[in-house]
Amino acid sequence: MAKKKQTNNNHHGRNNKNSNATGSAPKGRNISPTAQSIKVSIAATNDQTPTDPDAFKASTITTAVLGSFKIKEQHDTAAVAEATTVVKTVDSSAVRKDLTHIPFVTIDGITSRDFDDAVHAEADTAADNAGGYLVNVAIADVAWYVRPGSALDTQALSRGFSVYPPDRAVHMLPNELSEHACSLKPDVDRYALVAHIRVNKDGDILDSSYSRAIIRSRARLTYEGVDEFLGGNLNGVAAVAHTLIPPLHEVYEVLNQSSINRGKLKFSFGKMSSTIGADGFVNGFTKDDNREGSRELIEELMCLANCVVARDLLAHGQYPVMTRVHEEPAEDQLVKAKALLSAAGITKRNSEDWTLADINKMLDDPAMAAKHDKIRSAAMKLINRGEYAINETGHFGLALKTYCHFTSPIRRYPDLQVHRALISAFGLGEGGMAKDIPLKDMFNQASAINALDNQADAVYRIATDRYAIAFLHKTGPVHQAKLKDIKKDGALVLAFENTPLKLTVDKSFVPADDFRINMKKRQLVDDMGTVIGINDNVPVRIVSCNPLTGTFSIAMDGYSYPKGGAVQPMAQKGRKREP
């Protein structure tokens, strides 16, 4: 299989000390996507359950997780002072265009507080683009305020990303920027970097250009409201948006069909969100599988902008581009996916490899609805984790040759670096990237950024799993867990009911005096002939748990174990993340 490719860029030979790679590479804990978040033991008798009820509160758990990563919620004094000053700076240069006549809107979740992207679309009146569209994607101009080497830049680089545990946001930059100057709120002028993109009726990109601009959003729309509007309820959004949403949806339909045609992976991995009660305790979890409607609309527009910016910067060739790459599956991944599909009775002629287009087609087939879960599981075997790189190309999941992150510089440092490259490449004024930036520094920075990206993802994952054991403790000592897999070494994969908690537990969890493991059929069979197979329930008793440290001692309910129990030697199976 093809791997990510590096472009042949003339800039690669430069290595000058006069750099604006903004200091040394940041340090983050490089947490593997399969890193253990819950420390499991089997029937351990040394009870570590906290006696203080507050230990099971969501806020207490989150604070403990953030502390374990040494992530500070408060911003540095120097960065806050600088933010207070820079938000008052005015760009009076001729480069800054007044685009307040364009009726942009923002579309975000109901609970969103920072709005760093705004969109607009209209029919293209050019004679060479009948049936096509002009798409404008405006992104908060963070680079105007955060200059290379400044206190704000140093802090942004050290954090790398905003971090979003389930109950709060820990911003990459102070609130003066993230929730005010760089938040594209309605009816106020804001600085933005705007991508102007012409697409034809088939979703092909005709041309693109960029503006450093002043914009004014007309409305703060929500996904839910836009979905209601598209469903016929005109009261779902402000009246000013009634004429602005239809062309955006028309563009989305064109782009979505283009995505399908090129073989982009259509389904999302979904995630379970926690519900926290007024008392601060976790009340349960809800699964969010809805990526359709306005959410998908915004994703397609952001994907369009990211793709075009990467293409244009790589073609320009004078500045290093922090791209987002996604490798194709290795041979062993293809074999595993093929085996899963074969076990579900799905085969392909001549033993050919499965493609994402094949996966999409099967998921669209109502006749295969009963096998959709198995098909999704097989597709996940094909997906690698996305990474940041310098001047590299190839995004398997999106089926794109060029891709970068341009659309969220207020919460992702790579996007800020892309903005700087774009500003310098197309002569858009101050705050850009120097041509003589040492390429080695950028490679080091990309590596460190990947570690911080992993860390940010781990914070959410670990906090959510610890919320789950707090919830299980709250709702009783015995729970049902579905048996999802039995591995070659006898380890069991258990998914706990009504929670996102999925653990790989050592075979010592299965009482040897009562059960045997049938590896061929992937079943547990007891002396009475009772069979527990894949997707059957296993009764699990919580012996002890501590959500602050992630310790979790469990046993199969109704069975006895050797005195003292057994320590779980296995790492938790990590969950895949969207590219």
Side-chain angles (χ1 to χ4, degrees):
M1 299 298 294
K3 295 294 182 182
K4 57 188 180 185
K5 300 186 299 180
Q6 188 162 336
T7 58
N8 184 11
N9 194 314
N10 291 334
H11 176 79
H12 283 190
R14 298 173 182 262
N15 191 10
N16 189 298
K17 289 185 179 181
N18 183 15
S19 163
N20 74 339
T22 57
S24 60
K27 294 180 180 180
R29 287 174 59 188
N30 197 359
I31 307 300
S32 165
T34 58
Q36 177 174 308
S37 63
I38 302 297
K39 296 182 281 290
V40 181
S41 59
I42 308 302
T45 56
N46 52 331
D47 191 351
Q48 299 182 39
T49 306
T51 57
D52 183 357
D54 284 354
F56 292 87
K57 285 188 174 180
S59 60
T60 312
I61 297 168
T62 296
T63 299
V65 173
L66 290 172
S68 71
F69 286 96
K70 297 182 171 58
I71 294 174
K72 297 189 300 181
E73 295 190 64
Q74 299 300 315
H75 292 275
D76 296 342
T77 302
V80 173
E82 189 171 275
T84 304
T85 301
V86 298
V87 295
K88 302 172 185 176
T89 59
V90 176
D91 184 3
S92 57
S93 70
V95 172
R96 181 78 61 180
K97 293 184 178 180
D98 185 347
L99 299 183
T100 54
H101 62 282
I102 298 179
F104 285 100
V105 295
T106 61
I107 306 177
D108 296 275
I110 289 177
T111 60
S112 296
R113 290 186 296 174
D114 50 323
F115 315 104
D116 54 1
D117 59 82
V119 293
H120 168 262
E122 61 185 20
D124 192 349
T125 58
D128 65 343
N129 193 22
Y133 295 88
L134 172 61
V135 179
N136 297 301
V137 178
I139 307 299
D141 190 358
V142 179
W144 172 256
Y145 301 106
V146 183
R147 301 299 176 90
S150 65
L152 283 168
D153 185 58
T154 299
Q155 178 173 263
L157 178 58
S158 69
R159 293 186 176 222
F161 300 85
S162 291
V163 178
Y164 298 97
D167 67 338
R168 69 192 73 169
V170 182
H171 293 297
M172 183 177 77
L173 291 166
N175 288 350
E176 287 80 358
L177 293 174
S178 60
E179 295 189 12
H180 297 288
C182 294
S183 185
L184 307 181
K185 297 178 180 179
D187 302 320
V188 292
D189 290 353
R190 289 287 188 255
Y191 287 170
L193 193 55
V194 184
H196 311 282
I197 307 167
R198 293 175 68 224
V199 297
N200 66 17
K201 58 184 177 59
D202 297 318
D204 300 323
I205 300 163
L206 300 185
D207 55 58
S208 56
S209 61
Y210 304 94
S211 298
R212 207 89 179 268
I214 302 173
I215 71 158
R216 185 183 303 146
S217 169
R218 297 298 192 271
R220 182 273 202 255
L221 307 180
T222 65
Y223 295 131
E224 294 78 5
V226 173
D227 287 342
E228 285 185 22
F229 177 85
L230 293 173
N233 179 9
L234 301 187
N235 295 322
V237 299
V240 69
H242 286 190
T243 59
L244 303 178
I245 296 174
L248 286 169
H249 190 254
E250 291 168 14
V251 170
Y252 155 69
E253 290 183 319
V254 168
L255 295 175
N256 184 52
Q257 187 58 54
S258 177
S259 294
I260 293 170
N261 292 344
R262 71 171 186 262
K264 168 190 171 183
L265 180 64
K266 285 179 61 180
F267 81 91
S268 69
F269 300 114
K271 67 177 182 179
M272 295 188 80
S273 301
S274 50
T275 303
I276 301 170
D279 59 2
F281 293 96
V282 180
N283 283 342
F285 299 86
T286 57
K287 191 165 187 178
D288 177 18
D289 282 329
N290 178 24
R291 304 304 298 171
E292 298 179 352
S294 57
R295 287 176 175 81
E296 200 169 41
L297 182 158
I298 289 298
E299 286 180 4
E300 283 289 353
L301 292 176
M302 297 302 108
C303 182
L304 172 69
N306 288 336
C307 171
V308 172
V309 168
R311 181 201 67 174
D312 291 350
L313 281 175
L314 289 168
H316 184 274
Q318 295 301 307
Y319 297 91
V321 187
M322 192 169 285
T323 52
R324 182 72 170 175
V325 294
H326 189 227
E327 292 189 359
E328 295 185 4
E331 188 62 34
D332 65 319
Q333 292 174 277
L334 292 167
V335 169
K336 290 176 182 177
K338 192 179 296 184
L340 283 174
L341 290 171
S342 178
I346 305 169
T347 58
K348 199 172 183 182
R349 289 181 181 178
N350 303 320
S351 297
E352 294 177 357
D353 291 335
W354 291 95
T355 66
L356 295 187
D358 295 328
I359 298 293
N360 289 337
K361 186 175 181 180
M362 290 189 288
L363 291 174
D364 281 338
D365 186 354
M368 301 192 76
K371 297 182 178 181
H372 280 179
D373 283 346
K374 291 183 174 65
I375 294 168
R376 291 188 184 95
S377 295
M380 289 177 70
K381 298 295 183 185
L382 301 175
I383 301 301
N384 293 302
R385 185 182 178 88
E387 291 185 339
Y388 294 100
I390 303 301
N391 298 334
E392 293 182 359
T393 60
H395 198 295
F396 175 73
L398 296 175
L400 288 170
K401 291 181 179 179
T402 62
Y403 198 70
C404 70
H405 279 165
F406 159 76
T407 53
S408 292
I410 198 62
R411 63 183 179 90
R412 294 189 302 228
Y413 195 83
D415 302 49
L416 177 56
Q417 288 291 56
V418 167
H419 276 230
R420 288 168 173 164
L422 198 68
I423 288 164
S424 293
F426 295 98
L428 299 177
E430 300 176 19
M433 180 179 285
K435 278 189 177 181
D436 55 3
I437 181 172
L439 197 62
K440 181 180 179 181
D441 287 0
M442 290 297 293
F443 278 114
N444 290 339
Q445 190 178 100
S447 177
I449 285 291
N450 282 323
L452 289 167
D453 188 24
N454 290 346
Q455 177 176 282
D457 187 46
V459 167
Y460 179 85
R461 174 170 55 85
I462 292 171
T464 300
D465 282 350
R466 293 187 184 182
Y467 280 19
I469 66 173
F471 173 72
L472 292 170
H473 174 267
K474 170 185 174 181
T475 51
V478 179
H479 298 271
Q480 298 297 320
K482 284 192 181 298
L483 177 62
K484 303 304 292 184
D485 195 10
I486 301 177
K487 298 185 174 294
K488 290 181 180 179
D489 61 359
L492 277 62
V493 179
L494 301 176
F496 286 75
E497 62 177 357
N498 304 318
T499 80
L501 189 61
K502 187 176 181 181
L503 300 173
T504 299
V505 302
D506 183 64
K507 64 182 179 181
S508 61
F509 173 79
V510 180
D513 292 341
D514 302 282
F515 278 89
R516 62 182 176 85
I517 300 176
N518 186 325
M519 295 300 301
K520 186 175 181 180
K521 294 184 178 181
R522 291 159 74 212
Q523 294 174 337
L524 306 180
V525 184
D526 73 5
D527 295 337
M528 304 297 293
T530 303
V531 175
I532 300 176
I534 301 302
N535 287 322
D536 288 340
N537 283 330
V538 178
V540 178
R541 173 169 48 87
I542 300 175
V543 178
S544 67
C545 66
N546 186 340
L548 301 184
T549 60
T551 56
F552 193 47
S553 180
I554 58 175
M556 190 180 292
D557 188 49
Y559 297 89
S560 60
Y561 290 78
K563 186 176 180 180
V567 175
Q568 153 74 321
M570 302 295 295
Q572 179 191 338
K573 178 66 178 177
R575 291 187 291 277
K576 292 279 187 175
R577 185 176 91 139
E578 291 187 73

PDB file of all heavy atoms in Angstrom, residues 346 361-363 365-373 375:
ATOM      1  N   ILE A 346     -19.366 -11.645   4.342  1.00  0.00           N
ATOM      2  CA  ILE A 346     -19.186 -10.659   3.277  1.00  0.00           C
ATOM      3  C   ILE A 346     -17.828 -10.889   2.625  1.00  0.00           C
ATOM      4  O   ILE A 346     -16.785 -10.752   3.269  1.00  0.00           O
ATOM      5  CB  ILE A 346     -19.269  -9.214   3.821  1.00  0.00           C
ATOM      6  CG1 ILE A 346     -20.589  -9.006   4.565  1.00  0.00           C
ATOM      7  CG2 ILE A 346     -19.110  -8.205   2.693  1.00  0.00           C
ATOM      8  CD1 ILE A 346     -20.647  -7.703   5.344  1.00  0.00           C
ATOM      9  N   LYS A 361     -20.646   1.986   0.195  1.00  0.00           N
ATOM     10  CA  LYS A 361     -21.732   1.374  -0.578  1.00  0.00           C
ATOM     11  C   LYS A 361     -22.513   0.385   0.282  1.00  0.00           C
ATOM     12  O   LYS A 361     -23.749   0.358   0.246  1.00  0.00           O
ATOM     13  CB  LYS A 361     -21.150   0.677  -1.807  1.00  0.00           C
ATOM     14  CG  LYS A 361     -22.208   0.131  -2.766  1.00  0.00           C
ATOM     15  CD  LYS A 361     -21.553  -0.448  -4.017  1.00  0.00           C
ATOM     16  CE  LYS A 361     -22.621  -0.977  -4.981  1.00  0.00           C
ATOM     17  NZ  LYS A 361     -21.995  -1.542  -6.209  1.00  0.00           N
ATOM     18  N   MET A 362     -21.805  -0.421   1.061  1.00  0.00           N
ATOM     19  CA  MET A 362     -22.490  -1.400   1.916  1.00  0.00           C
ATOM     20  C   MET A 362     -23.298  -0.717   3.010  1.00  0.00           C
ATOM     21  O   MET A 362     -24.389  -1.168   3.368  1.00  0.00           O
ATOM     22  CB  MET A 362     -21.468  -2.363   2.516  1.00  0.00           C
ATOM     23  CG  MET A 362     -20.859  -3.320   1.503  1.00  0.00           C
ATOM     24  SD  MET A 362     -19.856  -4.636   2.260  1.00  0.00           S
ATOM     25  CE  MET A 362     -18.407  -3.713   2.787  1.00  0.00           C
ATOM     26  N   LEU A 363     -22.753   0.396   3.561  1.00  0.00           N
ATOM     27  CA  LEU A 363     -23.472   1.102   4.623  1.00  0.00           C
ATOM     28  C   LEU A 363     -24.701   1.831   4.090  1.00  0.00           C
ATOM     29  O   LEU A 363     -25.613   2.160   4.853  1.00  0.00           O
ATOM     30  CB  LEU A 363     -22.534   2.084   5.328  1.00  0.00           C
ATOM     31  CG  LEU A 363     -21.418   1.446   6.166  1.00  0.00           C
ATOM     32  CD1 LEU A 363     -20.479   2.518   6.697  1.00  0.00           C
ATOM     33  CD2 LEU A 363     -22.004   0.635   7.320  1.00  0.00           C
ATOM     34  N   ASP A 365     -26.606   0.434   1.828  1.00  0.00           N
ATOM     35  CA  ASP A 365     -27.503  -0.615   1.342  1.00  0.00           C
ATOM     36  C   ASP A 365     -28.434  -1.066   2.459  1.00  0.00           C
ATOM     37  O   ASP A 365     -27.995  -1.719   3.420  1.00  0.00           O
ATOM     38  CB  ASP A 365     -26.660  -1.794   0.834  1.00  0.00           C
ATOM     39  CG  ASP A 365     -27.516  -2.870   0.180  1.00  0.00           C
ATOM     40  OD1 ASP A 365     -28.756  -2.756   0.222  1.00  0.00           O
ATOM     41  OD2 ASP A 365     -26.934  -3.836  -0.366  1.00  0.00           O
ATOM     42  N   PRO A 366     -29.738  -0.758   2.373  1.00  0.00           N
ATOM     43  CA  PRO A 366     -30.681  -1.169   3.427  1.00  0.00           C
ATOM     44  C   PRO A 366     -30.714  -2.683   3.622  1.00  0.00           C
ATOM     45  O   PRO A 366     -30.978  -3.160   4.719  1.00  0.00           O
ATOM     46  CB  PRO A 366     -32.027  -0.650   2.910  1.00  0.00           C
ATOM     47  CG  PRO A 366     -31.683   0.426   1.929  1.00  0.00           C
ATOM     48  CD  PRO A 366     -30.395   0.004   1.296  1.00  0.00           C
ATOM     49  N   ALA A 367     -30.411  -3.426   2.571  1.00  0.00           N
ATOM     50  CA  ALA A 367     -30.449  -4.879   2.659  1.00  0.00           C
ATOM     51  C   ALA A 367     -29.357  -5.419   3.566  1.00  0.00           C
ATOM     52  O   ALA A 367     -29.435  -6.562   4.037  1.00  0.00           O
ATOM     53  CB  ALA A 367     -30.325  -5.499   1.263  1.00  0.00           C
ATOM     54  N   MET A 368     -28.326  -4.602   3.839  1.00  0.00           N
ATOM     55  CA  MET A 368     -27.219  -5.041   4.687  1.00  0.00           C
ATOM     56  C   MET A 368     -27.271  -4.392   6.068  1.00  0.00           C
ATOM     57  O   MET A 368     -26.297  -4.422   6.818  1.00  0.00           O
ATOM     58  CB  MET A 368     -25.882  -4.726   4.010  1.00  0.00           C
ATOM     59  CG  MET A 368     -25.711  -5.383   2.651  1.00  0.00           C
ATOM     60  SD  MET A 368     -24.022  -5.295   2.039  1.00  0.00           S
ATOM     61  CE  MET A 368     -23.238  -6.556   3.057  1.00  0.00           C
ATOM     62  N   ALA A 369     -28.423  -3.809   6.414  1.00  0.00           N
ATOM     63  CA  ALA A 369     -28.553  -3.073   7.679  1.00  0.00           C
ATOM     64  C   ALA A 369     -28.181  -3.924   8.884  1.00  0.00           C
ATOM     65  O   ALA A 369     -27.569  -3.437   9.836  1.00  0.00           O
ATOM     66  CB  ALA A 369     -29.975  -2.536   7.825  1.00  0.00           C
ATOM     67  N   ALA A 370     -28.516  -5.211   8.849  1.00  0.00           N
ATOM     68  CA  ALA A 370     -28.228  -6.092   9.983  1.00  0.00           C
ATOM     69  C   ALA A 370     -26.731  -6.293  10.188  1.00  0.00           C
ATOM     70  O   ALA A 370     -26.294  -6.691  11.279  1.00  0.00           O
ATOM     71  CB  ALA A 370     -28.903  -7.446   9.770  1.00  0.00           C
ATOM     72  N   LYS A 371     -25.942  -6.011   9.155  1.00  0.00           N
ATOM     73  CA  LYS A 371     -24.498  -6.221   9.238  1.00  0.00           C
ATOM     74  C   LYS A 371     -23.710  -4.908   9.337  1.00  0.00           C
ATOM     75  O   LYS A 371     -22.486  -4.915   9.302  1.00  0.00           O
ATOM     76  CB  LYS A 371     -24.012  -7.018   8.024  1.00  0.00           C
ATOM     77  CG  LYS A 371     -24.598  -8.411   7.939  1.00  0.00           C
ATOM     78  CD  LYS A 371     -24.054  -9.189   6.743  1.00  0.00           C
ATOM     79  CE  LYS A 371     -24.616 -10.605   6.710  1.00  0.00           C
ATOM     80  NZ  LYS A 371     -24.085 -11.392   5.568  1.00  0.00           N
ATOM     81  N   HIS A 372     -24.436  -3.789   9.453  1.00  0.00           N
ATOM     82  CA  HIS A 372     -23.754  -2.490   9.446  1.00  0.00           C
ATOM     83  C   HIS A 372     -22.754  -2.338  10.585  1.00  0.00           C
ATOM     84  O   HIS A 372     -21.684  -1.742  10.403  1.00  0.00           O
ATOM     85  CB  HIS A 372     -24.785  -1.354   9.476  1.00  0.00           C
ATOM     86  CG  HIS A 372     -25.384  -1.082   8.124  1.00  0.00           C
ATOM     87  ND1 HIS A 372     -26.347  -0.124   7.911  1.00  0.00           N
ATOM     88  CD2 HIS A 372     -25.145  -1.642   6.915  1.00  0.00           C
ATOM     89  CE1 HIS A 372     -26.684  -0.102   6.634  1.00  0.00           C
ATOM     90  NE2 HIS A 372     -25.975  -1.022   6.015  1.00  0.00           N
ATOM     91  N   ASP A 373     -23.073  -2.837  11.778  1.00  0.00           N
ATOM     92  CA  ASP A 373     -22.132  -2.723  12.904  1.00  0.00           C
ATOM     93  C   ASP A 373     -20.837  -3.460  12.603  1.00  0.00           C
ATOM     94  O   ASP A 373     -19.737  -2.980  12.902  1.00  0.00           O
ATOM     95  CB  ASP A 373     -22.757  -3.255  14.187  1.00  0.00           C
ATOM     96  CG  ASP A 373     -23.753  -2.283  14.798  1.00  0.00           C
ATOM     97  OD1 ASP A 373     -23.760  -1.105  14.380  1.00  0.00           O
ATOM     98  OD2 ASP A 373     -24.526  -2.692  15.686  1.00  0.00           O
ATOM     99  N   ILE A 375     -19.684  -4.120   9.632  1.00  0.00           N
ATOM    100  CA  ILE A 375     -19.010  -3.413   8.544  1.00  0.00           C
ATOM    101  C   ILE A 375     -18.240  -2.212   9.092  1.00  0.00           C
ATOM    102  O   ILE A 375     -17.098  -1.951   8.703  1.00  0.00           O
ATOM    103  CB  ILE A 375     -20.026  -2.968   7.468  1.00  0.00           C
ATOM    104  CG1 ILE A 375     -20.635  -4.199   6.788  1.00  0.00           C
ATOM    105  CG2 ILE A 375     -19.359  -2.066   6.425  1.00  0.00           C
ATOM    106  CD1 ILE A 375     -21.843  -3.892   5.922  1.00  0.00           C
TER     107      ILE A 375
END
